[in-house]
């Protein structure tokens, strides 16, 4: 199916699937409104995708294979959407915060994550500000890890992990913790091929 993605503004063509063409002399207020609308759609689509995948998990045994075929997204991207969406009932999602805000604290206990989201909402924090404050708290001694784990891995594997963490916008430790949390929350995907359950360097 071919999607043209046409949207019009006051009868004038604004967007196609691969481009945006704005009319000359567009008022600043209208330009800003378009930006806000695009952000809402982009942010909402992450929740929609996650809910769509969760529905597929419950209704169809081959959800990820179908999702991959329909979206062209990789397995880990889809899994991330579903994992975050699965952590929050719709009533727990904060409309004033982005999907990425919610993703930052999704692995925390419910009361703790709600407190961090409330702080972010009250303070008008960006996702990066929430991450920074959460990281500072985590390493301040008040949120020390209960278990210290040392691992030794080949250099090339460590480099792959580092690249994957950077691509996800996380430092290496946060990326590793998130991946472990995801695996613990969904220990077996019987509908996904075994090879798909192996993290890729670009995930």
């Amino acid at each position: 199916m071919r999607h043209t993605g046409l949207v019009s503004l006051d009868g004038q063509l604004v967007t196609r699937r691969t481009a945006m063409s704005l009319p000359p002399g567009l008022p600043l207020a209208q330009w800003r409104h378009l930006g806000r609308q695009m952000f809402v759609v982009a942010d909402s689509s992450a929740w929609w995708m996650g809910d769509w995948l969760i529905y597929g998990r419950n209704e169809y045994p081959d959800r990820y294979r179908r999702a991959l075929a329909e979206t062209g997204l990789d397995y880990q991207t889809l899994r991330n959407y579903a994992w975050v969406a699965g952590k929050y009932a719709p009533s727990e999602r904060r409309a004033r915060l982005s999907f990425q805000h919610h993703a930052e604290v999704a692995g925390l206990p419910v009361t703790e994550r709600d407190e961090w989201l409330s702080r972010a909402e009250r303070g008008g924090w960006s996702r990066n500000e929430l991450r920074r404050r959460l990281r500072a708290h985590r390493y301040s001694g008040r949120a020390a890890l209960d278990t210290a784990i040392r691992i030794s891995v080949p250099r090339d594997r460590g480099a792959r992990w580092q690249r994957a963490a950077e691509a996800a916008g996380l430092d290496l430790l946060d990326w590793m913790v998130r991946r472990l949390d995801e695996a613990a929350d969904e220990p077996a995907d019987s509908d996904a091929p075994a090879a798909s359950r192996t993290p890729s360097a670009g995930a």
Side-chain angles (χ1 to χ4, degrees), residues 5 8 22 26 43 48 56 67 73 94 96 99 102-103 122 130 134 136 147 159 161 169 172 187 191 196:
S8 65
L22 299 174
L26 185 69
D43 190 63
W48 300 337
L73 297 173
R94 315 285 183 104
R96 294 175 59 187
F99 181 87
H102 292 77
R122 289 193 302 267
L130 172 60
L134 184 61
T147 304
W161 291 356
L172 182 58
D191 59 326
S196 296

Side-chain angles (χ1 to χ4, degrees), residues 6-188:
L6 298 180
V7 179
S8 65
L9 176 68
D10 295 335
Q12 299 184 62
L13 182 65
V14 174
T15 67
R16 292 183 180 274
R17 179 169 173 79
T18 57
M20 171 174 280
S21 176
L22 299 174
L26 185 69
L28 175 61
Q30 203 163 20
W31 176 79
R32 292 175 62 187
H33 176 72
L34 278 173
R36 287 194 298 269
Q37 292 297 103
M38 287 186 291
F39 169 78
V40 168
V41 170
D43 190 63
S44 298
S45 67
W47 289 117
W48 300 337
M49 184 71 78
D51 290 338
W52 174 69
L53 289 162
I54 291 170
Y55 180 91
R57 177 184 64 198
N58 295 332
E59 296 292 328
Y60 311 110
D62 57 347
R63 71 192 188 285
Y64 284 113
R65 286 193 291 274
R66 291 192 180 190
L68 287 170
E70 289 292 329
T71 67
L73 297 173
D74 64 33
Y75 172 78
Q76 188 57 44
T77 299
L78 297 177
R79 185 185 174 113
N80 287 345
Y81 286 139
W83 181 75
V84 175
K87 286 290 187 177
Y88 301 90
S91 60
E92 298 172 329
R93 302 170 186 177
R94 315 285 183 104
R96 294 175 59 187
L97 299 176
S98 71
F99 181 87
Q100 293 303 324
H101 281 90
H102 292 77
E104 287 296 324
V105 297
L108 298 177
V110 173
T111 55
E112 191 174 346
R113 82 182 186 206
D114 285 348
E115 175 59 29
W116 280 104
L117 290 175
S118 293
R119 292 179 188 177
E121 200 168 23
R122 289 193 302 267
W125 298 348
S126 67
R127 186 279 306 270
N128 288 343
E129 179 65 13
L130 172 60
R131 178 183 294 173
R132 185 187 70 78
R133 290 176 182 255
L134 184 61
R135 183 181 294 127
H137 175 73
R138 184 176 291 154
Y139 297 117
S140 67
R142 293 176 305 213
L145 292 174
D146 294 331
T147 304
I149 302 174
R150 293 179 61 87
I151 60 173
S152 178
V153 298
R155 181 175 299 179
D156 61 336
R157 178 173 292 178
R160 287 172 57 214
W161 291 356
Q162 184 63 53
R163 289 195 299 271
E166 291 172 356
L170 300 169
D171 65 29
L172 182 58
L173 179 59
D174 287 340
W175 178 82
M176 293 173 69
V177 169
R178 179 174 296 184
R179 294 299 296 272
L180 289 169
D181 280 342
E182 291 171 4
D185 287 339
E186 194 174 349

